[in-house]
Amino acid sequence: MRAGGGGEQQALLRQVLGWRVAASIAWSVLLLPLCTAVFISISSIDLFHPIQWISNSFNDWYTSYVIFCILLMSVVILIISIFNVEFYAVVPSIPCSRLALLGKIIHPRQVIHSVVHAIMGMLVAWCAAVMTKGKFQFLALPCTASESLDGAVQHMCLNEYHLFLLLSGAFMGYNYSLLYLVNNMNYLPFPIIQQYKYLRFRRSLPLLVKRSCVESLYLVRNVCVAHYFFGYIPRAWISTTMDLHTDSKLHPLDTLTGLLDLSLLYHTWLCGVFLLITWHVTWLLFKIYATEAHHFPVQPTFAEETDQCLPKILNSNPPLIIKFLALQDLMLLSQYSPIRRQEVFSLSQPGGHPHNWTAISKECLNLLSDLTQKLIMQQEAAATNGRVKQPSTGELGRSLSSSEAAVKEEMAFQTQRSNVISRAHMPSLVKSSLLPLKALSTSDLGSSFGSPFSSPALNRKAGILDLNSPWHGSVQSPHVMRRGPKLWTSSSDLQMNGSPQASFSMISVARVGNEATQPSFIYTWLQNKQEQVRSFLSKRVLIMYFFSKHPEASIQAVFSDAQMHIWALEGLSRLVAASFTEDRFGVVQTTLPVILNTLLTLQEVVDKHFKLPHASSKPPRISGSLMDTSYKTLRFALRASLKTAIYRITTTFGEHLNAVQVSAEHKKRLQQFLEFKE
Amino acid sequence: MCSLALFPPPPAPGDVTLYECHNALVSGHIYEKLPLAFQDQLADLPVLTIPKETLKAHSRLEHSTKPAFIHHQETLWKRCLNAWRDVGMCGVLNEVANAEEADLQWMKTGSSWALALCHWVSSLHGSLFPHLSLCSEDMIAEFSQAVDWAGCSIRAFAWHPHTSKFAVALLDDSIRVYNTNSATVPILKHRLQRNVASMAWKPLCASILAVACQSCVLVWHLDPTSLSTRPSSGCAQVLAYPGHSPVTSLAWAPSGEMLLSASPVDTAMLVWDVSTENCVPLQWFGGGGVTYLAWSPDGSKVLAATPSAVFRVWEAQMWTCERWPTIKGRCQTGCWSPDGSRLLFTVLGESVIYSLSFSEYSGEMQGQVGGSKTASIVADLSETTFETLYGEARIGGEVHSMVWDPSGERLAALIRGNPETPESRTIVAVFRTRNSPVFELLPCGFLQGEPGAQPQLIAFHPCFKKGALLTVCWSTGRISHIPFFFVSAQVPCFSPSPSPVVALSSSSASVREQPLFSEL
């Protein structure tokens, strides 16, 4: 069923995102002439003859050069937009080590991005040079220093100013692409409040202009340094290929006196500002349009709309952005729209089943329990860090049996979801003994994803050992954590098997585990060797520099898609709270115990996560920058909204919650929430 | 229209208003007990007195380490750099203009000229918005909801929205948190916690308190189970934004996700996502700043008063606003009915209460505030002379602050007397209100404290089950609770979420006078 829906989902994506992209491109192209006019006026600024300056710049706006440049730059904007659309992500990818970052930079996709942006930058710089006129306009000029005045042949000389602008344009384009990657500019952050698009644009514009100006300053500095050292290479190359002479009267630009030309620096800076502003505006408009709330119908009015209604979309496996938009819409409808809430609580016409509510609540609970599992696994990974033991045969046997269990799990996969939920009923001791299955599957997955130094079986066994050992509870103590560095844990891989793919990965992992355990002797020997290599490498400084994981980054990676869970929490809790007065058929009551269990379990796990020694308990200070770094603080938002969600339910239902069937442990927890003591 | 002349005369001097029962305010001696039936309702509420004398003054007024060191003349260049970092461009100009070095004559003249230009421009700006020329402490005193912010020992007061817990900000910049269920009184102190103008507890949360300070907003995360009396300053989150100080008003969204903060200096009010410390400025030029914020209990609208004769009502879904120019002065205070359909506000320079009704909120009308065309006057509070057995009492004037109880049945207005006439006094007037099906405002009575005590701050308990409970902070430093016993149609305690308030039969004993203000 899921595979069959691929085509439809692409159509849906195109339908939802298509007009947004088109509108954002149209607006950025429409804004281009305005930017160009401002650029022309400022580039020819003349404070001593203001009237002449204004009339000149008015005249310049209509010249054929400028119109051609605007057309050319529209194409550039179009290409930039296409790259924005191709590269956007709602879940940021966070490199956990320097090596991963390096890998991202030399990834072919990114290389294409950089090269195209460098070319586009050069094009924009060419347009800027042509529009600036004066000494920048042409690449080749007739030589001024004509020693041989016999003059039948007019020598053409290289205009190094023009070349300098072109090179700086390429540099700026490449730099933009690099920063795009490093700052995760492809990440689409959803705004904390809903606002009209125009107001959002107006709000961000001053900051955008300011940041572009400042960034351009730094770029000019870097371009100058680069040109001072390497400027002779492109100059020599161009002049030989195009058979141009060097003007001996002018200072070459790779000297200090040549570079200290104020007009050159000013125009280079202005060209950089122009480039950055137009590109950033394109990027901002795309971001604003793409994150605008979309209104999905809860109940289809026509038969062909069934694929676009909210419960259907949430339950299928659409592209992530559609899922995000759907969850955002769920949050908004639960907050603001009593009429649509009524549709959620309604019963199906023949049969009288609460299909809408079932579908929505099921998906939200799935998301939340997935997060719970992910966090538990991450905590296990953190707990086992540095406490790896040599495997013995007994343990191997045990691991074999557990992998058999994993295969069984594959069979019973359809019921697994309900298992997870029912697991919450059990006291925590029983719960932890059930955990190895899950811990095992991901650690296996992580290693099969090509981390050369981590050993699958070791990880797995460590996980089992910990859970079975009596001091499981104290595992999270900082002493254990700091015992030894580990090159990398599987948490970056944990992130890879984020919720939609989780089902697939579990199955494949179980198979991998089965095969790996059979050749036990060679395997053990390999393990030893691997361990030795690893300990050897971890002592080398340079390698450690590249491989060492930034703890903050790996935590961020775990919570990178937490926005989804925040919306699920808000939507679910608001719907439950609204059901107190609005749910006429009592459809919510049936799921209330499950919802409470899921929320309280997640609350426990999140609490535990924030008690891990390397997890900072406060969000880092965010400076007023253009780049949105909200993905770095999502975990704090998640913690806050989880608590608010539970309080929302407890304050609405009050003492009635005592009648809800939950485990004794959770009952105690609920009581604390009812007394406002959490 | 309701007027003060219809009120029962104030209690006899020396008597203290104790409670309301059967639609009449009962006053008596201060040590008098409540009737037995009601005693258990108030048994554990702390009544306390914090006199000004017990508060320790600042140990040192200067909050920098400068005075501790010997004066040392640095080079001009270094001083300029420091001034740039501390004060900005004006500081540099000032430094250069006052430099003692002789050889920089032209620079000195230049910078003194530039400084003069700066002053002129800022005075021009100040003549447009006179409040900008005040120093920040005067500004807070001007716009605070406390009557005598600068002189009284209690500066701000906030009830927790769900439990019997309140926070009191004191003159010495400390905050005490009293809880009915525990004897520990946490005292909050922080280096940045100076000149507290307002406080607000986060709804749907156990113990998070936002504090509006002179330079920033502090968000205290208190552990409700902790026994410590001095939470460390590590428990406080600092929310600062350039150009956004002093902060004079705070408002949490009733759903607990967002915090609004306002400063009379900043034209933008900030929407904070406190957990991530992100903020979105909602810029709206005109008015010159935002002085007072009130979020409607159903979460749909926000009142934002400005220092000039205009206020705005924002709708909290798409964040668009309606602008309301007033005739005389700035909007001083305002309060919302529980269902968010009616706003009562008062204007400086006029002793009346205005009412503004809004169309029924539903999510389908995106981006519309839906206010009615004009505001109507619902109460006239101009000065009235009461002839009592003990002499003449003159009561009436501008309303300084106004609160509406969560069930929407009692309204308390803190009326500031005329400063010219010594016998007119500041007093709290209580109205009985009804919001549906038609809005009604009926007089209830005046509240009187101990002899010599002036009311300073008023606040309603958010979930008092037997009616309403008004907490009054007096200028003597006393905090007293005055219960109004009546049967309400709804119990507000466990329903912070918007629920249609239908207060049909409001009081048990309907010995009601003729409707004094009614829309019919």
Side-chain angles (χ1 to χ4, degrees):
Chain A
M1 183 200 88
R2 288 192 174 187
E8 288 164 26
Q9 277 155 11
Q10 282 307 312
L12 182 67
L13 179 67
R14 223 168 295 139
Q15 189 197 338
V16 173
L17 208 61
W19 73 267
R20 295 171 181 235
V21 172
S24 75
I25 294 176
W27 273 111
S28 32
V29 169
L30 281 178
L31 283 174
L32 189 65
L34 195 73
C35 293
T36 317
V38 174
F39 171 75
I40 291 173
S41 319
I42 296 179
S43 71
S44 62
I45 196 164
D46 187 356
L47 286 179
F48 299 105
H49 309 93
I51 295 162
Q52 196 191 352
W53 161 51
I54 291 169
S55 65
N56 274 352
S57 42
F58 262 111
N59 291 334
D60 282 348
W61 293 347
Y62 308 111
T63 53
S64 53
Y65 275 126
V66 172
I67 289 168
F68 175 70
C69 283
I70 288 177
L71 288 179
L72 187 63
M73 280 189 295
S74 307
V75 176
V76 171
I77 295 289
L78 190 69
I79 294 171
I80 298 283
S81 304
I82 290 170
F83 271 91
N84 279 341
V85 176
E86 281 299 313
F87 275 73
Y88 82 88
V90 281
V91 176
S93 68
I94 297 159
C96 288
S97 64
R98 291 181 182 85
L99 189 73
L101 185 65
L102 209 65
K104 271 174 78 181
I105 291 173
I106 56 170
H107 192 278
R109 221 167 107 89
Q110 178 60 27
V111 169
I112 292 172
H113 188 269
S114 301
V115 168
V116 171
H117 273 78
I119 294 169
M120 293 300 124
M122 202 180 256
L123 277 180
V124 173
W126 181 80
C127 291
V130 168
M131 288 187 297
T132 310
K133 297 201 291 192
K135 59 183 176 185
F136 300 98
Q137 198 168 8
F138 300 109
L139 184 61
L141 286 175
C143 292
T144 46
S146 40
E147 286 131 12
S148 54
L149 270 171
D150 40 352
V153 183
Q154 176 87 46
H155 284 294
M156 293 302 276
C157 285
L158 175 71
N159 181 7
E160 211 183 341
Y161 292 110
H162 187 90
L163 182 65
F164 184 80
L165 268 191
L166 289 189
L167 289 176
S168 62
F171 183 85
M172 284 163 182
Y174 179 73
N175 196 70
Y176 174 88
S177 153
L178 210 61
L179 284 181
Y180 189 86
L181 174 83
V182 172
N183 289 336
N184 266 325
M185 272 166 75
N186 61 344
Y187 167 59
L188 292 180
F190 284 81
I192 56 172
I193 56 171
Q194 300 297 311
Q195 260 187 310
Y196 286 109
K197 292 188 287 286
Y198 163 69
L199 291 175
R200 279 184 71 191
F201 181 71
R202 197 189 67 175
R203 178 158 60 77
S204 316
L205 199 60
L207 188 63
L208 184 145
V209 172
K210 195 180 133 200
R211 291 301 307 170
S212 302
C213 291
V214 173
E215 208 174 297
S216 179
L217 268 184
Y218 287 108
L219 284 177
V220 168
R221 184 196 64 188
N222 296 349
V223 164
C224 285
V225 171
H227 199 82
Y228 180 74
F229 288 110
F230 308 108
Y232 65 95
I233 303 171
R235 190 179 57 201
W237 183 60
I238 294 279
S239 45
T240 44
T241 47
M242 296 182 71
D243 193 24
L244 294 171
H245 296 268
T246 315
D247 208 328
S248 53
K249 250 195 176 173
L250 295 171
H251 289 290
L253 282 186
D254 53 351
T255 58
L256 271 183
T257 42
L259 276 177
L260 279 178
D261 181 347
L262 266 188
S263 135
L264 174 74
L265 293 183
Y266 172 68
H267 282 110
T268 315
W269 174 76
L270 207 60
C271 166
V273 173
F274 180 60
L275 182 145
L276 288 178
I277 285 183
T278 48
W279 292 10
H280 278 154
V281 163
T282 311
W283 165 75
L284 178 71
L285 281 171
F286 172 68
K287 228 169 58 165
I288 289 174
Y289 268 93
T291 56
E292 199 200 355
H294 187 270
H295 191 100
F296 294 94
V298 178
Q299 260 175 335
T301 32
F302 302 106
E304 58 263 30
E305 272 181 16
T306 21
D307 286 336
Q308 297 165 25
C309 64
L310 193 63
K312 189 84 193 292
I313 287 176
L314 282 177
N315 263 319
S316 62
N317 201 3
L320 265 182
I321 179 128
I322 300 290
K323 189 149 197 175
F324 269 64
L325 286 173
L327 281 166
Q328 190 189 28
D329 191 44
L330 174 70
M331 185 269 288
L332 291 175
L333 90 86
S334 68
Q335 189 171 5
Y336 296 115
S337 176
I339 296 163
R340 296 176 70 200
R341 279 201 298 262
Q342 219 28 262
E343 286 177 22
V344 172
F345 299 139
S346 68
L347 301 181
S348 67
Q349 206 34 267
H353 295 286
H355 286 308
N356 290 335
W357 167 251
T358 318
I360 288 174
S361 63
K362 199 176 111 207
E363 180 54 27
C364 289
L365 289 175
N366 277 350
L367 275 173
L368 296 178
S369 46
D370 280 345
L371 178 70
T372 313
Q373 279 182 50
K374 202 161 83 172
L375 285 179
I376 291 174
M377 288 183 304
Q378 204 247 356
Q379 282 164 19
E380 293 307 322
T384 57
N385 200 352
R387 284 202 314 117
V388 180
K389 288 182 184 172
Q390 294 296 320
S392 68
T393 44
E395 281 162 9
L396 268 178
R398 199 192 294 162
S399 81
L400 187 70
S401 69
S402 67
S403 61
E404 274 168 10
V407 176
K408 271 179 206 151
E409 191 189 26
E410 177 194 338
M411 305 290 203
F413 182 69
Q414 285 308 313
T415 53
Q416 193 215 348
R417 286 279 150 93
S418 53
N419 276 342
V420 171
I421 291 162
S422 63
R423 189 164 54 83
H425 288 277
M426 305 171 199
S428 59
L429 261 175
V430 186
K431 210 189 312 176
S432 58
S433 65
L434 265 176
L435 276 176
L437 287 185
K438 270 118 210 167
L440 165 143
S441 22
T442 33
S443 58
D444 262 359
L445 175 78
S447 51
S448 66
F449 257 85
S451 61
F453 303 126
S454 65
S455 48
L458 274 179
N459 275 356
R460 182 175 54 214
K461 246 149 277 151
I464 294 164
L465 268 181
D466 282 343
L467 288 161
N468 294 340
S469 65
W471 52 300
H472 165 55
S474 64
V475 153
Q476 272 114 11
S477 70
H479 312 288
V480 180
M481 299 295 307
R482 292 188 190 124
R483 196 164 290 179
K486 189 174 175 183
L487 287 183
W488 64 60
T489 53
S490 51
S491 64
S492 64
D493 308 305
L494 294 186
Q495 182 225 341
M496 287 171 105
N497 70 353
S499 50
Q501 284 86 24
S503 47
F504 286 94
S505 55
M506 297 258 180
I507 297 168
S508 66
V509 152
R511 289 202 189 106
V512 171
N514 242 351
E515 287 158 18
T517 40
Q518 278 155 12
S520 63
F521 175 71
I522 305 168
Y523 192 66
T524 325
W525 181 79
L526 272 176
Q527 288 305 316
N528 285 337
K529 281 290 147 200
Q530 225 173 49
E531 195 56 34
Q532 281 169 14
V533 169
R534 193 157 66 156
S535 60
F536 171 77
L537 284 177
S538 63
K539 286 183 188 112
R540 299 295 167 279
V541 176
L542 185 70
I543 290 181
M544 277 314 286
Y545 176 80
F546 279 113
F547 282 80
S548 67
K549 272 172 55 114
H550 197 248
E552 176 72 21
S554 46
I555 294 169
Q556 280 171 18
V558 175
F559 285 95
S560 59
D561 60 347
Q563 184 67 64
M564 246 184 342
H565 305 114
I566 292 170
W567 282 331
L569 277 170
E570 284 191 15
L572 201 61
S573 67
R574 278 179 202 275
L575 280 177
V576 170
S579 78
F580 190 68
T581 50
E582 292 176 14
D583 178 14
R584 283 172 300 166
F585 306 111
V587 295
V588 175
Q589 279 180 27
T590 51
T591 33
L592 196 56
V594 184
I595 291 173
L596 282 175
N597 273 326
T598 313
L599 292 186
L600 289 172
T601 316
L602 183 59
Q603 163 75 19
E604 239 169 73
V605 174
V606 168
D607 266 359
K608 213 184 245 176
H609 175 86
F610 275 92
K611 282 177 192 147
L612 286 182
H614 53 260
S616 69
S617 58
K618 271 189 178 183
R621 304 291 310 158
I622 297 162
S623 57
S625 78
L626 184 60
M627 310 308 154
D628 202 293
T629 52
S630 56
Y631 61 89
K632 291 184 180 164
T633 48
L634 276 178
R635 61 179 184 279
F636 302 104
L638 179 85
R639 181 175 59 167
S641 57
L642 177 59
K643 245 187 195 160
T644 310
I646 300 177
Y647 269 118
R648 187 171 291 136
I649 294 174
T650 55
T651 48
T652 312
F653 283 81
E655 297 300 322
H656 301 296
L657 280 185
N658 292 332
V660 178
Q661 291 244 319
V662 285
S663 65
E665 192 192 344
H666 283 161
K667 198 152 244 171
K668 225 160 67 186
R669 202 77 194 249
L670 268 183
Q671 196 54 42
Q672 284 193 325
F673 273 101
L674 282 171
E675 288 165 5
F676 287 91
K677 284 197 170 150
E678 266 298 316
Chain B
M1 197 195 315
C2 183
S3 92
L4 281 187
L6 301 162
F7 269 70
D15 277 6
V16 174
T17 310
L18 294 174
Y19 58 92
E20 187 213 273
C21 188
H22 301 306
N23 274 338
L25 286 175
V26 178
S27 57
H29 196 259
I30 186 162
Y31 300 109
E32 219 166 290
K33 285 270 164 61
L34 285 174
L36 215 60
F38 300 132
Q39 263 179 15
D40 57 328
Q41 296 299 321
L42 291 179
D44 42 3
L45 281 178
V47 175
L48 36 111
T49 309
I50 308 167
K52 204 169 165 181
E53 294 74 37
T54 57
L55 299 178
K56 213 167 68 179
H58 288 295
S59 48
R60 54 195 168 90
L61 291 169
E62 192 76 32
H63 275 260
S64 76
T65 47
K66 217 174 179 179
F69 294 92
I70 300 167
H71 182 67
H72 168 67
Q73 193 71 18
E74 287 165 317
T75 60
L76 180 65
W77 174 239
K78 232 175 192 175
R79 271 182 288 151
C80 282
L81 212 64
N82 283 337
W84 170 262
R85 215 178 302 135
D86 292 347
V87 197
M89 197 60 218
C90 273
V92 175
L93 290 176
N94 213 359
E95 198 66 51
V96 175
N98 298 330
E100 283 144 23
E101 280 86 347
D103 49 340
L104 293 164
Q105 203 53 51
W106 60 274
M107 258 181 87
K108 279 167 73 173
T109 17
S111 56
S112 48
W113 275 101
L115 207 60
L117 192 74
C118 271
H119 283 311
W120 183 73
V121 169
S122 69
S123 72
L124 202 69
H125 195 198
S127 68
L128 274 176
F129 301 113
H131 69 278
L132 293 180
S133 54
L134 296 173
C135 81
S136 61
E137 244 172 86
D138 291 342
M139 204 185 295
I140 297 172
E142 170 82 22
F143 297 121
S144 161
Q145 291 290 299
V147 173
D148 178 22
W149 182 85
C152 181
S153 58
I154 298 170
R155 292 191 146 173
F157 180 91
W159 273 107
H160 190 276
H162 306 292
T163 56
S164 272
K165 175 157 71 173
F166 62 82
V168 186
L170 302 175
L171 189 63
D172 62 349
D173 291 337
S174 68
I175 291 174
R176 296 187 194 172
V177 179
Y178 293 90
N179 195 340
T180 52
N181 301 324
S182 80
T184 48
V185 180
I187 299 174
L188 314 178
K189 286 183 182 175
H190 194 277
R191 185 172 51 83
L192 294 169
Q193 185 174 294
R194 297 172 59 202
N195 296 332
V196 176
S198 154
M199 290 184 297
W201 290 93
K202 181 178 175 179
L204 296 180
C205 189
S207 222
I208 291 184
L209 178 70
V211 181
C213 308
Q214 186 173 345
S215 58
C216 61
V217 178
L218 283 178
V219 180
W220 285 94
H221 295 251
L222 306 171
D223 184 0
T225 52
S226 147
L227 292 173
S228 113
T229 51
R230 274 296 302 273
S232 79
S233 55
C235 301
Q237 240 178 316
V238 181
L239 306 178
Y241 189 79
H244 196 75
S245 67
V247 183
T248 56
S249 190
L250 290 175
W252 282 97
S255 56
E257 275 118 17
M258 286 176 278
L259 173 71
L260 272 179
S261 72
S263 161
V265 177
D266 195 357
T267 50
M269 56 180 196
L270 302 182
V271 183
W272 291 95
D273 180 3
V274 172
S275 56
T276 60
E277 300 189 7
N278 276 328
C279 80
V280 176
L282 288 174
Q283 195 89 35
W284 204 268
F285 299 101
V290 181
T291 55
Y292 177 72
L293 294 170
W295 207 310
S296 70
D298 70 333
S300 62
K301 287 179 272 294
V302 182
L303 162 77
T306 68
S308 22
V310 65
F311 68 92
R312 287 188 284 274
V313 179
W314 292 81
E315 100 3 86
Q317 187 181 357
M318 296 302 286
W319 292 100
T320 53
C321 68
E322 251 178 24
R323 197 172 154 274
W324 285 90
T326 57
I327 300 161
K328 262 200 148 162
R330 67 181 167 85
C331 172
Q332 163 66 30
T333 183
C335 54
W336 291 93
S337 67
D339 59 350
S341 66
R342 183 172 297 276
L343 169 71
L344 298 183
F345 67 94
T346 65
V347 165
L348 220 63
E350 284 181 275
S351 42
V352 293
I353 299 176
Y354 286 100
S355 152
L356 195 55
S357 65
F358 292 85
S359 53
E360 195 58 53
Y361 178 75
S362 75
E364 311 325 315
M365 39 166 240
Q366 279 201 347
Q368 287 169 37
V369 185
S372 57
K373 289 279 171 284
T374 51
S376 53
I377 296 178
V378 293
D380 177 16
L381 306 177
S382 51
E383 200 171 70
T384 313
T385 311
F386 287 90
E387 297 288 345
T388 60
L389 292 172
Y390 315 97
E392 216 173 54
R394 297 175 71 175
I395 289 170
E398 294 168 3
V399 175
H400 194 82
S401 81
M402 197 160 53
V403 284
W404 208 334
D405 96 298
S407 64
E409 308 212 11
R410 292 291 181 277
L411 174 80
L414 208 166
I415 304 173
R416 195 149 59 161
N418 193 353
E420 271 97 67
T421 48
E423 62 266 34
S424 93
R425 53 181 173 158
T426 308
I427 201 162
V428 178
V430 180
F431 298 88
R432 273 195 290 273
T433 54
R434 185 155 88 159
N435 203 27
S436 130
V438 287
F439 179 69
E440 282 180 9
L441 198 65
L442 304 158
C444 184
F446 296 112
L447 303 186
Q448 184 166 282
E450 295 169 65
Q454 307 256 331
Q456 165 85 356
L457 280 163
I458 45 177
F460 271 108
H461 191 295
C463 48
F464 185 67
K465 294 202 181 67
K466 295 280 163 120
L469 179 82
L470 183 71
T471 303
V472 185
C473 305
W474 303 92
S475 57
T476 49
R478 187 180 163 80
I479 297 173
S480 65
H481 310 282
I482 299 159
F484 303 93
F485 295 109
F486 58 88
V487 177
S488 169
Q490 60 142 13
V491 183
C493 187
F494 272 117
S495 56
S497 60
S499 58
V501 179
V502 187
L504 282 176
S505 63
S506 61
S507 53
S508 52
S510 298
V511 273
R512 178 169 289 157
E513 299 89 342
Q514 76 279 15
L516 295 164
F517 175 79
S518 159
E519 273 183 343
L520 284 181

